[in-house]
Amino acid sequence: MASKEDNNFNDINPSPTKFSELNQLLIELVTSAENILGDNFIGAYLQGSFAVGDADMQSDCDFLIFIKEQLTDFQENELRKLHDEIPTRKGHWTHHLEGSYPVASEFKNLESLDAKWLFIDHGWREMQWDTHCNNCWARWSLREKGITLIGPDPKNLVDPIPKEIKSDEARKSLVNIIEDTHSWMPSTIAWGQRYIVTTACRLLYTIKTGEVTSKAHGLDWTAKNLDSRWLNLLTQVKEDRKLGFDENITPREGSLQEAYSFVKYVQSIGLKE
């Protein structure tokens, strides 16, 4: 693995995204993380929507900062202070960073799926120990599509993920997608309705192709490949993405039941394969 001495931090990728404000924030994040982690730092990357494509102002910026070994108490405390402070800054993207600090050996393959890493959820100031980024999707999108901010080639950090593993995991997630979503997102919030539909689209895409895609592309792919009766729903969800998250906006009349019906339809296709 690369060490601090192997990286020239003057060479941090200056333009990993099309958003100049986000690019500057990522430079500041990586520089601060390296200063905190020292020789424990390996590299920093983007995965998720920015990696697979179609990221927009409603997207989270999913990052991974790899470490050699588990964080010391000092390192954890300093990272917590950093991520507590970032959302207090001005700007849009300071509220939309989401990512983890995985131990590289635990990310290499799927043998450590129970490992929890220090994680910051977008919009939050308090970090958690969580398995959020510890899944086959993050591994695939990093290895195959990841954007390097600084550090070794992502292919050196993670083994290939077989297509059947991604498809099997997508089927498992599809089974209880409605119940799982409402366990943390009330049905009274419109964002949840959109999340259910877009996630169903993305899961079916993975089942069919073995690849991971963005929310926008998942909606477009579904509109082209499934029954046209769902076109109005898919168009509504895509148009409403610009609303972002607002706990005071309720689902459009009838849209939640339509989303539930759509999930049943997707399940009838995806779970029988």
Side-chain angles (χ1 to χ4, degrees):
M1 295 296 182
S3 68
K4 178 181 175 183
E5 290 75 16
D6 295 320
N7 291 321
N8 180 349
F9 284 86
N10 292 321
D11 292 334
I12 297 174
N13 187 344
S15 302
T17 80
K18 62 183 179 181
F19 302 105
S20 58
E21 176 201 322
L22 176 57
N23 293 339
Q24 181 59 40
L25 178 60
L26 290 171
I27 291 173
E28 294 169 5
L29 170 65
V30 171
T31 302
S32 296
E34 189 276 335
N35 287 335
I36 292 168
L37 296 168
D39 290 338
N40 202 18
F41 181 96
I42 293 176
Y45 307 84
L46 299 185
Q47 55 100 4
S49 295
F50 277 91
V52 301
D54 295 325
D56 56 26
M57 290 294 286
Q58 282 68 52
S59 300
D60 304 326
C61 183
D62 298 294
F63 71 87
L64 292 167
I65 295 180
F66 283 85
I67 56 179
K68 294 180 181 179
E69 55 190 25
Q70 197 51 265
L71 298 167
T72 65
D73 290 343
F74 170 81
Q75 291 168 348
E76 178 180 345
N77 289 335
E78 291 302 304
L79 289 174
R80 287 183 179 276
K81 291 178 184 177
L82 172 65
H83 286 283
D84 178 62
E85 181 272 328
I86 286 175
T88 67
R89 304 179 191 177
K90 294 180 180 179
H92 170 81
W93 292 105
T94 58
H95 301 280
H96 294 279
L97 290 179
E98 180 169 294
S100 293
Y101 290 77
V103 177
S105 61
E106 295 175 346
F107 198 90
K108 184 68 172 171
N109 50 53
L110 297 175
E111 294 179 359
S112 299
L113 287 175
D114 58 341
K116 293 181 179 181
W117 304 320
L118 195 61
F119 165 71
I120 186 66
D121 201 352
H122 75 282
W124 284 51
R125 294 177 60 178
E126 183 178 355
M127 302 190 80
Q128 309 162 61
W129 284 94
D130 203 283
T131 60
H132 183 277
C133 299
N134 192 352
N135 55 63
C136 64
W137 326 118
R139 286 171 169 81
W140 184 90
S141 66
L142 176 69
R143 189 180 198 280
E144 305 301 335
K145 304 286 185 176
I147 298 173
T148 301
L149 301 178
I150 194 165
D153 188 322
K155 289 182 171 59
N156 294 332
L157 296 171
V158 58
D159 296 337
I161 307 296
K163 174 181 177 180
E164 58 271 19
I165 289 180
K166 295 191 293 293
S167 296
D168 287 346
E169 287 301 309
R171 290 188 188 93
K172 292 177 184 177
S173 297
L174 185 57
V175 171
N176 295 313
I177 180 176
I178 295 173
E179 297 82 354
D180 290 345
T181 300
H182 289 324
S183 69
W184 55 272
M185 175 57 56
S187 61
T188 54
I189 298 178
W191 187 92
Q193 182 258 351
R194 302 195 299 273
Y195 178 86
I196 288 171
V197 173
T198 54
T199 302
C201 292
R202 297 174 78 186
L203 291 173
L204 185 61
Y205 179 88
T206 297
I207 291 169
K208 291 288 190 178
T209 68
E211 297 188 353
V212 180
T213 193
S214 67
K215 296 179 178 69
H217 183 259
L219 288 166
D220 289 341
W221 177 87
T222 304
K224 293 177 181 178
N225 288 278
L226 297 192
D227 194 311
S228 60
R229 66 155 289 195
W230 303 109
L231 187 58
N232 288 340
L233 173 67
L234 298 171
T235 300
Q236 171 256 310
V237 168
K238 189 171 183 179
E239 289 178 349
D240 285 356
R241 266 181 56 77
K242 64 181 180 292
L243 299 175
F245 178 83
D246 187 332
E247 63 182 8
N248 297 312
I249 299 179
T250 58
R252 295 192 192 191
E253 184 176 356
S255 66
L256 196 58
Q257 290 304 319
E258 187 72 354
Y260 296 162
S261 297
F262 175 71
V263 168
K264 291 182 180 179
Y265 173 76
V266 171
Q267 289 171 335
S268 71
I269 298 172
L271 299 182
K272 71 178 182 181
E273 297 193 8

